[in-house]
Amino acid sequence: MTEETKGRWIPLESNPETFNFWATKAGLVASQARFVDIYGLDEELLAYVPKPVKAVVLLFPIDDEGEARRKEEDGRIAREGQPKIDPSIFWLKQTISNACGTIGLIHSLVNSDVVFAPTSPLQQFVFQCQDKTPEERAEILATTNLFTDIHAESANTGQSAPNVDTDLHFTCFVQAPDADIRKAARGEDLSEDVKGDKVSSGMRLIELDGRRAGPVDQGECKDLLTDVANFVKARYLSSSTSVFFSLMALTTAPEE
């Protein structure tokens, strides 16, 4: 990476070929999981996505309305907190321009129960990031030449010419246990207001975006694919006329 491109990567193209290439290079055991296209958000089209789905990656256009909504949500989180967020969720801050594809890949893979080679780059990265802050994790990513190379190779697998000037951004959705359930499983005491019937027995829909202040709890999650589809329709598509949206699912279903 030259001084001119330092801190600014070529954007990844939103297609399974590119994401699967990156994941395999980073150490994913290819027979265990893969990314596939989500062709639409209607129930009939969602039915074609192989199950189970472990993560969903969304590419969306950045616009003024979305940015205002993001700032409002971040302000609410700063005031009220997110008591149901599972503290074991792996998240890192995005400090490299156009690295949102790689960060979306890391967030989706590390927060899923997919299999990596023990000495793979991603497994080593997770090991290095233990007990590190999101900003320190970002620095490790930025200074790991192997990840820079994997990203560059992956960007060149796309079907269109790379463009370093883009207003498109990747975010990732996973599901995680309600923090109260995690506490109960460890035998920890719960406060009076979350005991008994007030303790959720389900999962949470977690959005992982490196531009945010941290993981964002987007509510209860009963079915990851369906809940992400409903969220994207309500949050993104309802207020946009852009055609520059795409979604991919990380699935552990075997290829037919």
Side-chain angles (χ1 to χ4, degrees):
M1 184 165 57
T2 66
E3 285 301 316
E4 288 75 14
T5 59
K6 185 178 181 180
R8 192 182 198 199
W9 292 2
I10 298 172
L12 293 186
E13 192 170 294
S14 180
N15 68 61
E17 178 185 4
T18 297
F19 272 54
N20 287 327
F21 179 90
W22 189 103
T24 302
K25 282 282 188 178
L28 176 67
V29 178
S31 62
Q32 299 297 315
R34 70 191 193 280
F35 287 92
V36 298
D37 279 316
I38 299 173
Y39 292 107
L41 300 180
D42 295 333
E43 186 176 341
E44 295 79 6
L45 292 173
L46 293 177
Y48 286 102
V49 179
K51 313 297 189 302
V53 171
K54 299 297 184 177
V56 176
V57 178
L58 167 69
L59 179 71
F60 66 94
I62 297 173
D63 56 31
D64 292 340
E65 184 174 346
E67 289 299 280
R69 186 170 55 239
R70 178 177 66 85
K71 290 178 181 178
E72 180 181 355
E73 186 173 52
D74 286 347
R76 176 184 58 78
I77 291 171
R79 294 190 304 272
E80 302 174 6
Q82 300 183 100
K84 293 185 179 295
I85 282 278
D86 181 358
S88 68
I89 294 170
F90 183 92
W91 183 82
L92 71 154
K93 189 75 174 174
Q94 180 180 343
T95 59
I96 307 167
S97 180
N98 293 334
C100 57
T102 279
I103 289 175
L105 274 154
I106 292 173
H107 282 154
S108 60
L109 294 167
V110 174
N111 291 292
S112 304
D113 56 352
V114 296
V115 180
F116 290 91
T119 58
S120 64
L122 191 53
Q123 193 69 52
Q124 294 300 309
F125 176 72
V126 172
F127 179 77
Q128 287 181 276
C129 287
Q130 289 181 352
D131 301 321
K132 297 291 193 299
T133 67
E135 291 77 16
E136 289 171 334
R137 292 171 179 177
E139 181 63 20
I140 294 172
L141 178 67
T143 55
T144 303
N145 290 334
L146 187 55
F147 275 112
T148 304
D149 295 340
I150 291 172
H151 183 102
E153 283 187 74
S154 301
N156 288 324
T157 67
Q159 299 173 0
S160 57
N163 176 17
V164 297
D165 297 311
T166 179
D167 289 326
L168 302 177
H169 184 70
F170 286 103
T171 189
C172 167
F173 298 89
V174 298
Q175 60 181 356
D178 185 308
D180 292 332
I181 300 304
R182 183 78 75 181
K183 290 178 181 178
R186 291 196 298 261
E188 296 180 14
D189 290 334
L190 302 177
S191 60
E192 291 298 326
D193 62 337
V194 297
K195 287 183 178 179
D197 293 338
K198 293 184 180 180
V199 177
S200 169
S201 60
M203 307 288 281
R204 307 299 295 179
L205 178 63
I206 306 299
E207 183 173 5
L208 302 169
D209 183 338
R211 297 188 310 148
R212 306 294 291 266
V216 180
D217 181 356
Q218 299 293 7
E220 186 178 4
C221 185
K222 296 181 178 180
D223 179 88
L224 178 60
L225 183 61
T226 300
D227 290 339
V228 171
N230 291 334
F231 179 81
V232 170
K233 285 189 285 189
R235 174 64 64 90
Y236 291 94
L237 300 185
S238 64
S239 60
S240 177
T241 59
S242 174
V243 297
F244 296 106
F245 287 92
S246 68
L247 290 108
M248 287 180 288
L250 175 66
T251 175
T252 55
E255 288 193 73
E256 296 181 356

